[in-house]
Short mmCIF file of all heavy atoms in Angstrom, two decimals:
data_model
loop_
_atom_site.label_atom_id
_atom_site.label_comp_id
_atom_site.label_asym_id
_atom_site.label_seq_id
_atom_site.Cartn_x
_atom_site.Cartn_y
_atom_site.Cartn_z
N MET A 1 51.46 2.77 4.97
CA MET A 1 51.91 4.09 4.81
C MET A 1 53.10 4.05 3.87
O MET A 1 53.20 4.89 2.91
CB MET A 1 52.41 4.68 6.15
CG MET A 1 53.08 6.02 6.06
SD MET A 1 51.79 7.23 6.00
CE MET A 1 52.78 8.70 6.28
N ALA A 2 54.12 3.12 3.97
CA ALA A 2 55.26 3.07 3.12
C ALA A 2 54.82 2.72 1.64
O ALA A 2 55.37 3.23 0.74
CB ALA A 2 56.16 2.00 3.58
N VAL A 3 53.76 1.91 1.54
CA VAL A 3 53.26 1.59 0.13
C VAL A 3 52.73 2.71 -0.49
O VAL A 3 52.97 3.01 -1.71
CB VAL A 3 52.23 0.41 0.33
CG1 VAL A 3 51.62 0.10 -1.07
CG2 VAL A 3 52.77 -0.86 0.82
N ALA A 4 51.99 3.61 0.29
CA ALA A 4 51.37 4.80 -0.32
C ALA A 4 52.49 5.78 -0.79
O ALA A 4 52.41 6.40 -1.89
CB ALA A 4 50.50 5.47 0.74
N LEU A 5 53.54 5.80 0.04
CA LEU A 5 54.67 6.78 -0.33
C LEU A 5 55.41 6.24 -1.60
O LEU A 5 55.74 7.01 -2.51
CB LEU A 5 55.67 6.90 0.90
CG LEU A 5 55.20 7.69 2.09
CD1 LEU A 5 56.07 7.62 3.15
CD2 LEU A 5 54.85 9.13 1.65
N LYS A 6 55.57 4.94 -1.59
CA LYS A 6 56.27 4.31 -2.76
C LYS A 6 55.34 4.56 -4.03
O LYS A 6 55.96 4.88 -5.10
CB LYS A 6 56.44 2.82 -2.52
CG LYS A 6 57.25 2.25 -3.64
CD LYS A 6 57.46 0.71 -3.32
CE LYS A 6 58.19 0.06 -4.54
NZ LYS A 6 58.51 -1.36 -4.23
N GLU A 7 54.11 4.42 -3.96
CA GLU A 7 53.21 4.64 -5.07
C GLU A 7 53.27 6.15 -5.59
O GLU A 7 53.39 6.37 -6.75
CB GLU A 7 51.75 4.26 -4.78
CG GLU A 7 51.61 2.76 -4.63
CD GLU A 7 50.30 2.32 -4.27
OE1 GLU A 7 49.36 3.18 -3.99
OE2 GLU A 7 50.02 1.01 -4.15
N ASP A 8 53.24 7.09 -4.52
CA ASP A 8 53.37 8.45 -4.93
C ASP A 8 54.73 8.82 -5.57
O ASP A 8 54.79 9.53 -6.58
CB ASP A 8 53.27 9.32 -3.56
CG ASP A 8 51.92 9.38 -3.11
OD1 ASP A 8 50.81 8.93 -3.88
OD2 ASP A 8 51.57 9.80 -1.95
N PHE A 9 55.82 8.27 -5.07
CA PHE A 9 57.06 8.43 -5.64
C PHE A 9 57.12 7.90 -7.03
O PHE A 9 57.68 8.57 -7.96
CB PHE A 9 58.16 7.74 -4.75
CG PHE A 9 59.61 7.82 -5.35
CD1 PHE A 9 60.27 8.95 -5.37
CD2 PHE A 9 60.09 6.73 -5.97
CE1 PHE A 9 61.61 9.07 -5.84
CE2 PHE A 9 61.38 6.85 -6.50
CZ PHE A 9 62.10 7.97 -6.48
N GLN A 10 56.63 6.68 -7.18
CA GLN A 10 56.57 6.05 -8.54
C GLN A 10 55.75 6.90 -9.56
O GLN A 10 56.18 7.13 -10.72
CB GLN A 10 56.11 4.65 -8.52
CG GLN A 10 56.25 3.86 -9.85
CD GLN A 10 57.69 3.69 -10.33
OE1 GLN A 10 58.56 3.38 -9.49
NE2 GLN A 10 57.92 4.03 -11.50
N ARG A 11 54.60 7.49 -9.13
CA ARG A 11 53.79 8.25 -10.01
C ARG A 11 54.59 9.53 -10.40
O ARG A 11 54.47 9.88 -11.47
CB ARG A 11 52.45 8.57 -9.21
CG ARG A 11 51.38 9.10 -10.09
CD ARG A 11 50.12 9.21 -9.33
NE ARG A 11 49.72 8.07 -8.67
CZ ARG A 11 49.43 7.99 -7.37
NH1 ARG A 11 49.42 8.96 -6.61
NH2 ARG A 11 49.02 6.78 -6.83
N ALA A 12 55.25 10.14 -9.44
CA ALA A 12 56.05 11.38 -9.72
C ALA A 12 57.12 11.05 -10.64
O ALA A 12 57.39 11.83 -11.57
CB ALA A 12 56.51 11.92 -8.43
N LEU A 13 57.79 9.94 -10.47
CA LEU A 13 58.90 9.56 -11.35
C LEU A 13 58.43 9.25 -12.74
O LEU A 13 59.07 9.70 -13.68
CB LEU A 13 59.52 8.29 -10.74
CG LEU A 13 60.86 7.88 -11.52
CD1 LEU A 13 61.96 8.88 -11.49
CD2 LEU A 13 61.29 6.49 -10.81
N ASP A 14 57.31 8.58 -12.86
CA ASP A 14 56.75 8.38 -14.13
C ASP A 14 56.38 9.61 -14.96
O ASP A 14 56.57 9.80 -16.07
CB ASP A 14 55.49 7.44 -14.06
CG ASP A 14 55.82 6.03 -13.64
OD1 ASP A 14 57.01 5.58 -13.72
OD2 ASP A 14 54.84 5.39 -13.21
N GLU A 15 55.75 10.63 -14.12
CA GLU A 15 55.44 11.91 -14.79
C GLU A 15 56.62 12.62 -15.26
O GLU A 15 56.66 13.25 -16.38
CB GLU A 15 54.62 12.75 -13.79
CG GLU A 15 54.16 13.99 -14.31
CD GLU A 15 53.13 13.85 -15.44
OE1 GLU A 15 52.39 12.84 -15.54
OE2 GLU A 15 53.08 14.61 -16.40
N GLN A 16 57.75 12.63 -14.50
CA GLN A 16 58.92 13.28 -14.85
C GLN A 16 59.57 12.66 -15.99
O GLN A 16 60.06 13.34 -16.97
CB GLN A 16 59.92 13.27 -13.77
CG GLN A 16 59.56 14.30 -12.60
CD GLN A 16 60.52 14.22 -11.47
OE1 GLN A 16 61.37 13.23 -11.30
NE2 GLN A 16 60.46 15.06 -10.50
N THR A 17 59.58 11.32 -16.13
CA THR A 17 60.05 10.59 -17.26
C THR A 17 59.32 10.93 -18.53
O THR A 17 59.92 11.21 -19.61
CB THR A 17 60.02 9.10 -17.01
OG1 THR A 17 60.76 8.76 -15.83
CG2 THR A 17 60.57 8.34 -18.15
N LYS A 18 58.02 11.12 -18.45
CA LYS A 18 57.17 11.40 -19.59
C LYS A 18 57.53 12.83 -20.07
O LYS A 18 57.58 13.08 -21.21
CB LYS A 18 55.73 11.27 -19.16
CG LYS A 18 54.77 11.74 -20.27
CD LYS A 18 53.28 11.57 -19.80
CE LYS A 18 52.43 12.08 -20.83
NZ LYS A 18 50.98 12.18 -20.34
N GLU A 19 57.62 13.77 -19.09
CA GLU A 19 57.89 15.16 -19.40
C GLU A 19 59.35 15.18 -20.14
O GLU A 19 59.44 15.98 -21.06
CB GLU A 19 57.92 16.00 -18.19
CG GLU A 19 58.13 17.51 -18.45
CD GLU A 19 57.96 18.28 -17.26
OE1 GLU A 19 57.33 17.85 -16.17
OE2 GLU A 19 58.52 19.38 -17.25
N ILE A 20 60.30 14.50 -19.68
CA ILE A 20 61.62 14.48 -20.17
C ILE A 20 61.63 13.98 -21.57
O ILE A 20 62.15 14.63 -22.52
CB ILE A 20 62.60 13.67 -19.38
CG1 ILE A 20 62.94 14.49 -18.11
CG2 ILE A 20 63.97 13.42 -20.11
CD1 ILE A 20 63.64 13.57 -17.09
N ARG A 21 60.81 12.95 -21.82
CA ARG A 21 60.79 12.33 -23.15
C ARG A 21 60.05 13.32 -24.15
O ARG A 21 60.46 13.51 -25.34
CB ARG A 21 59.85 11.05 -23.19
CG ARG A 21 60.56 9.88 -22.63
CD ARG A 21 59.71 8.69 -22.68
NE ARG A 21 60.51 7.61 -22.06
CZ ARG A 21 59.92 6.57 -21.51
NH1 ARG A 21 58.61 6.49 -21.31
NH2 ARG A 21 60.58 5.58 -20.92
N GLU A 22 59.06 14.02 -23.66
CA GLU A 22 58.37 15.07 -24.53
C GLU A 22 59.30 16.25 -24.89
O GLU A 22 59.36 16.69 -26.02
CB GLU A 22 57.17 15.62 -23.77
CG GLU A 22 56.03 14.59 -23.71
CD GLU A 22 54.88 15.09 -22.79
OE1 GLU A 22 54.88 16.15 -22.19
OE2 GLU A 22 53.84 14.27 -22.83
N LEU A 23 60.17 16.66 -23.96
CA LEU A 23 61.17 17.70 -24.28
C LEU A 23 62.20 17.23 -25.18
O LEU A 23 62.54 18.07 -26.08
CB LEU A 23 61.72 18.18 -22.90
CG LEU A 23 60.86 19.02 -22.02
CD1 LEU A 23 61.52 19.20 -20.64
CD2 LEU A 23 60.52 20.32 -22.66
N VAL A 24 62.64 15.97 -25.04
CA VAL A 24 63.69 15.43 -25.97
C VAL A 24 63.01 15.42 -27.40
O VAL A 24 63.63 15.80 -28.43
CB VAL A 24 64.16 14.10 -25.60
CG1 VAL A 24 65.05 13.50 -26.66
CG2 VAL A 24 64.99 14.26 -24.26
N MET A 25 61.80 14.93 -27.52
CA MET A 25 61.18 14.82 -28.76
C MET A 25 60.95 16.24 -29.40
O MET A 25 61.11 16.48 -30.59
CB MET A 25 59.77 14.13 -28.65
CG MET A 25 59.88 12.67 -28.32
SD MET A 25 61.04 11.68 -29.35
CE MET A 25 60.15 11.70 -30.90
N ALA A 26 60.64 17.23 -28.58
CA ALA A 26 60.49 18.59 -29.05
C ALA A 26 61.72 19.16 -29.50
O ALA A 26 61.95 19.83 -30.58
CB ALA A 26 59.96 19.51 -27.92
N GLY A 27 62.88 18.77 -28.89
CA GLY A 27 64.25 19.11 -29.35
C GLY A 27 64.51 18.52 -30.58
O GLY A 27 65.14 19.17 -31.54
N LEU A 28 64.21 17.29 -30.88
CA LEU A 28 64.42 16.68 -32.15
C LEU A 28 63.68 17.24 -33.23
O LEU A 28 64.16 17.44 -34.34
CB LEU A 28 64.13 15.18 -32.04
CG LEU A 28 65.12 14.37 -31.09
CD1 LEU A 28 64.61 12.93 -30.99
CD2 LEU A 28 66.60 14.29 -31.77
N GLU A 29 62.47 17.64 -32.89
CA GLU A 29 61.58 18.32 -33.86
C GLU A 29 62.22 19.69 -34.24
O GLU A 29 62.17 20.07 -35.47
CB GLU A 29 60.22 18.48 -33.33
CG GLU A 29 59.22 18.92 -34.32
CD GLU A 29 58.99 17.93 -35.46
OE1 GLU A 29 59.06 16.71 -35.21
OE2 GLU A 29 58.81 18.34 -36.59
N GLN A 30 62.76 20.37 -33.34
CA GLN A 30 63.51 21.62 -33.67
C GLN A 30 64.58 21.48 -34.56
O GLN A 30 64.81 22.18 -35.52
CB GLN A 30 64.03 22.35 -32.38
CG GLN A 30 62.94 22.91 -31.47
CD GLN A 30 63.45 23.58 -30.24
OE1 GLN A 30 64.70 23.38 -29.94
NE2 GLN A 30 62.65 24.21 -29.49
N ILE A 31 65.29 20.31 -34.40
CA ILE A 31 66.40 20.05 -35.32
C ILE A 31 65.92 19.74 -36.74
O ILE A 31 66.46 20.24 -37.69
CB ILE A 31 67.34 18.81 -34.83
CG1 ILE A 31 68.01 19.26 -33.51
CG2 ILE A 31 68.25 18.34 -35.84
CD1 ILE A 31 68.70 18.02 -32.77
N LYS A 32 64.87 18.99 -36.84
CA LYS A 32 64.18 18.65 -38.11
C LYS A 32 63.77 19.86 -38.83
O LYS A 32 63.76 19.98 -40.00
CB LYS A 32 63.08 17.63 -37.90
CG LYS A 32 63.48 16.28 -37.58
CD LYS A 32 62.23 15.36 -37.31
CE LYS A 32 62.63 14.06 -36.87
NZ LYS A 32 61.46 13.14 -36.52
N GLU A 33 63.23 20.84 -38.09
CA GLU A 33 62.73 22.14 -38.59
C GLU A 33 63.83 23.14 -39.01
O GLU A 33 63.53 24.13 -39.52
CB GLU A 33 61.73 22.80 -37.67
CG GLU A 33 60.39 21.99 -37.42
CD GLU A 33 59.61 22.50 -36.38
OE1 GLU A 33 60.03 23.52 -35.70
OE2 GLU A 33 58.48 21.98 -36.23
N GLY A 34 65.02 22.68 -38.58
CA GLY A 34 66.19 23.61 -38.83
C GLY A 34 66.33 24.74 -37.87
O GLY A 34 67.17 25.55 -38.08
N LYS A 35 65.63 24.66 -36.74
CA LYS A 35 65.84 25.70 -35.82
C LYS A 35 67.06 25.53 -35.02
O LYS A 35 67.54 26.48 -34.32
CB LYS A 35 64.61 25.72 -34.88
CG LYS A 35 63.35 26.14 -35.53
CD LYS A 35 62.20 26.07 -34.49
CE LYS A 35 60.92 26.49 -35.27
NZ LYS A 35 59.71 26.47 -34.38
N SER A 36 67.59 24.34 -34.95
CA SER A 36 68.92 24.07 -34.29
C SER A 36 69.60 23.06 -35.13
O SER A 36 68.98 22.06 -35.59
CB SER A 36 68.66 23.50 -32.89
OG SER A 36 69.86 23.27 -32.33
N LYS A 37 70.86 23.23 -35.33
CA LYS A 37 71.61 22.33 -36.24
C LYS A 37 72.41 21.35 -35.50
O LYS A 37 72.95 20.42 -36.00
CB LYS A 37 72.55 23.22 -37.05
CG LYS A 37 71.81 24.17 -38.05
CD LYS A 37 72.58 24.42 -39.23
CE LYS A 37 71.85 25.42 -40.12
NZ LYS A 37 70.65 25.11 -40.64
N ASP A 38 72.50 21.45 -34.14
CA ASP A 38 73.29 20.66 -33.39
C ASP A 38 72.57 19.95 -32.21
O ASP A 38 71.95 20.64 -31.37
CB ASP A 38 74.50 21.42 -32.86
CG ASP A 38 75.57 20.67 -32.08
OD1 ASP A 38 75.48 19.37 -32.15
OD2 ASP A 38 76.36 21.22 -31.36
N PHE A 39 72.56 18.64 -32.14
CA PHE A 39 71.86 18.02 -31.12
C PHE A 39 72.38 18.24 -29.77
O PHE A 39 71.65 18.33 -28.80
CB PHE A 39 71.72 16.51 -31.38
CG PHE A 39 70.94 15.62 -30.45
CD1 PHE A 39 69.61 15.83 -30.44
CD2 PHE A 39 71.48 14.78 -29.52
CE1 PHE A 39 68.78 14.99 -29.57
CE2 PHE A 39 70.84 14.03 -28.55
CZ PHE A 39 69.37 14.22 -28.67
N ASN A 40 73.72 18.40 -29.69
CA ASN A 40 74.33 18.73 -28.40
C ASN A 40 73.85 20.09 -27.89
O ASN A 40 73.61 20.28 -26.67
CB ASN A 40 75.82 18.77 -28.52
CG ASN A 40 76.42 17.37 -28.64
OD1 ASN A 40 75.92 16.44 -28.21
ND2 ASN A 40 77.45 17.27 -29.34
N THR A 41 73.62 21.06 -28.76
CA THR A 41 73.04 22.35 -28.28
C THR A 41 71.62 22.20 -27.74
O THR A 41 71.33 22.71 -26.70
CB THR A 41 72.93 23.28 -29.55
OG1 THR A 41 74.26 23.50 -30.07
CG2 THR A 41 72.37 24.59 -29.13
N VAL A 42 70.83 21.35 -28.33
CA VAL A 42 69.49 21.11 -27.82
C VAL A 42 69.66 20.40 -26.47
O VAL A 42 68.87 20.78 -25.47
CB VAL A 42 68.71 20.18 -28.76
CG1 VAL A 42 67.35 19.76 -28.19
CG2 VAL A 42 68.42 20.97 -30.12
N CYS A 43 70.43 19.44 -26.36
CA CYS A 43 70.59 18.70 -25.05
C CYS A 43 71.12 19.65 -23.96
O CYS A 43 70.64 19.57 -22.78
CB CYS A 43 71.55 17.58 -25.21
SG CYS A 43 70.80 16.22 -26.16
N ASP A 44 72.03 20.53 -24.28
CA ASP A 44 72.61 21.52 -23.34
C ASP A 44 71.54 22.45 -22.85
O ASP A 44 71.37 22.71 -21.72
CB ASP A 44 73.79 22.30 -24.01
CG ASP A 44 74.93 21.46 -24.10
OD1 ASP A 44 75.11 20.38 -23.56
OD2 ASP A 44 75.84 21.95 -24.91
N ARG A 45 70.66 22.95 -23.73
CA ARG A 45 69.54 23.82 -23.37
C ARG A 45 68.54 23.08 -22.47
O ARG A 45 68.07 23.60 -21.48
CB ARG A 45 68.85 24.29 -24.71
CG ARG A 45 67.76 25.31 -24.42
CD ARG A 45 67.33 25.96 -25.69
NE ARG A 45 66.79 25.01 -26.68
CZ ARG A 45 67.18 24.92 -27.94
NH1 ARG A 45 68.23 25.69 -28.42
NH2 ARG A 45 66.71 24.04 -28.67
N LEU A 46 68.20 21.82 -22.76
CA LEU A 46 67.31 21.06 -21.97
C LEU A 46 67.94 20.75 -20.52
O LEU A 46 67.25 20.97 -19.45
CB LEU A 46 67.06 19.67 -22.56
CG LEU A 46 66.10 19.79 -23.79
CD1 LEU A 46 66.04 18.36 -24.44
CD2 LEU A 46 64.72 20.27 -23.45
N GLU A 47 69.27 20.51 -20.49
CA GLU A 47 69.94 20.25 -19.29
C GLU A 47 69.90 21.59 -18.32
O GLU A 47 69.65 21.50 -17.22
CB GLU A 47 71.37 19.85 -19.52
CG GLU A 47 72.15 19.48 -18.21
CD GLU A 47 73.55 18.95 -18.50
OE1 GLU A 47 73.96 18.80 -19.65
OE2 GLU A 47 74.25 18.78 -17.54
N ARG A 48 70.27 22.74 -19.01
CA ARG A 48 70.17 23.94 -18.23
C ARG A 48 68.75 24.28 -17.74
O ARG A 48 68.61 24.60 -16.56
CB ARG A 48 70.60 25.18 -19.18
CG ARG A 48 72.17 25.32 -19.27
CD ARG A 48 72.44 26.71 -19.91
NE ARG A 48 71.72 26.93 -21.10
CZ ARG A 48 72.23 26.54 -22.41
NH1 ARG A 48 73.31 25.87 -22.47
NH2 ARG A 48 71.46 26.80 -23.42
N LYS A 49 67.78 23.92 -18.53
CA LYS A 49 66.41 24.19 -18.04
C LYS A 49 66.06 23.40 -16.82
O LYS A 49 65.61 23.89 -15.88
CB LYS A 49 65.43 23.85 -19.14
CG LYS A 49 63.97 24.05 -18.74
CD LYS A 49 62.98 23.69 -19.86
CE LYS A 49 61.62 23.83 -19.28
NZ LYS A 49 60.65 23.58 -20.27
N TYR A 50 66.45 22.04 -16.90
CA TYR A 50 66.12 21.17 -15.76
C TYR A 50 66.94 21.54 -14.58
O TYR A 50 66.47 21.46 -13.51
CB TYR A 50 66.21 19.69 -16.11
CG TYR A 50 64.96 19.24 -16.67
CD1 TYR A 50 64.64 19.19 -17.99
CD2 TYR A 50 63.99 18.74 -15.74
CE1 TYR A 50 63.36 18.76 -18.49
CE2 TYR A 50 62.75 18.30 -16.21
CZ TYR A 50 62.46 18.24 -17.58
OH TYR A 50 61.34 17.81 -18.00
N ARG A 51 68.22 21.93 -14.75
CA ARG A 51 68.98 22.30 -13.63
C ARG A 51 68.55 23.48 -12.92
O ARG A 51 68.35 23.54 -11.73
CB ARG A 51 70.45 22.43 -14.10
CG ARG A 51 71.43 22.71 -13.01
CD ARG A 51 72.90 22.83 -13.43
NE ARG A 51 72.98 23.40 -14.73
CZ ARG A 51 73.72 22.97 -15.68
NH1 ARG A 51 74.66 21.98 -15.42
NH2 ARG A 51 73.76 23.48 -16.91
N ASP A 52 68.16 24.45 -13.73
CA ASP A 52 67.55 25.67 -13.15
C ASP A 52 66.26 25.49 -12.49
O ASP A 52 65.95 26.02 -11.48
CB ASP A 52 67.52 26.86 -14.25
CG ASP A 52 68.82 27.24 -14.77
OD1 ASP A 52 69.85 27.01 -14.11
OD2 ASP A 52 68.83 27.96 -15.89
N GLU A 53 65.41 24.61 -13.12
CA GLU A 53 64.12 24.37 -12.50
C GLU A 53 64.33 23.61 -11.30
O GLU A 53 63.61 23.91 -10.26
CB GLU A 53 63.32 23.57 -13.44
CG GLU A 53 61.91 23.26 -13.03
CD GLU A 53 61.09 22.51 -14.11
OE1 GLU A 53 61.04 22.96 -15.26
OE2 GLU A 53 60.57 21.42 -13.71
N ALA A 54 65.24 22.69 -11.15
CA ALA A 54 65.29 21.89 -9.95
C ALA A 54 65.84 22.90 -8.78
O ALA A 54 65.44 22.65 -7.67
CB ALA A 54 66.47 20.82 -10.17
N ILE A 55 66.70 23.83 -9.18
CA ILE A 55 67.16 24.76 -8.12
C ILE A 55 66.03 25.63 -7.60
O ILE A 55 65.89 25.85 -6.38
CB ILE A 55 68.32 25.64 -8.68
CG1 ILE A 55 69.52 24.75 -8.90
CG2 ILE A 55 68.59 26.81 -7.71
CD1 ILE A 55 70.60 25.36 -9.62
N SER A 56 65.07 26.12 -8.49
CA SER A 56 64.08 26.95 -8.13
C SER A 56 62.94 26.24 -7.38
O SER A 56 62.16 26.96 -6.68
CB SER A 56 63.47 27.64 -9.32
OG SER A 56 62.82 26.83 -10.18
N ASN A 57 62.81 25.01 -7.51
CA ASN A 57 61.73 24.29 -6.84
C ASN A 57 61.96 23.98 -5.33
O ASN A 57 62.62 23.84 -4.64
CB ASN A 57 61.39 22.95 -7.42
CG ASN A 57 60.66 23.16 -8.74
OD1 ASN A 57 60.09 24.28 -8.90
ND2 ASN A 57 60.81 22.33 -9.68
#
């Protein structure tokens, strides 16, 4: 039972890590396209999104 829970936890963690990387890459792409001039602004927006999402879940 503990092994199954550990595997489920690891799978969820891996999925979240992948999603975070995709969002960071999307933010970097926005900077390259000139949609945002400040990396800190992009990071702040991502942080707010995840903080709000974590609260709503």
Side-chain angles (χ1 to χ4, degrees):
M1 176 83 167
V3 174
L5 289 175
K6 185 176 179 180
E7 289 175 359
D8 287 345
F9 176 77
Q10 187 62 46
R11 197 172 306 124
L13 185 61
D14 291 344
E15 185 61 33
Q16 287 177 348
T17 301
K18 180 181 173 185
E19 186 176 338
I20 290 168
R21 285 182 182 150
E22 289 172 356
L23 288 170
V24 170
M25 295 306 293
L28 290 172
E29 191 61 35
Q30 286 178 355
I31 291 171
K32 288 178 186 176
E33 293 172 357
K35 293 181 181 177
S36 180
K37 301 208 183 293
D38 184 13
F39 185 69
N40 288 330
T41 302
V42 173
C43 291
D44 289 342
R45 189 169 53 237
L46 291 171
E47 184 178 353
R48 277 193 309 273
K49 177 181 177 176
Y50 269 95
R51 184 179 29 223
D52 294 343
E53 185 176 306
I55 292 170
S56 66
N57 286 337

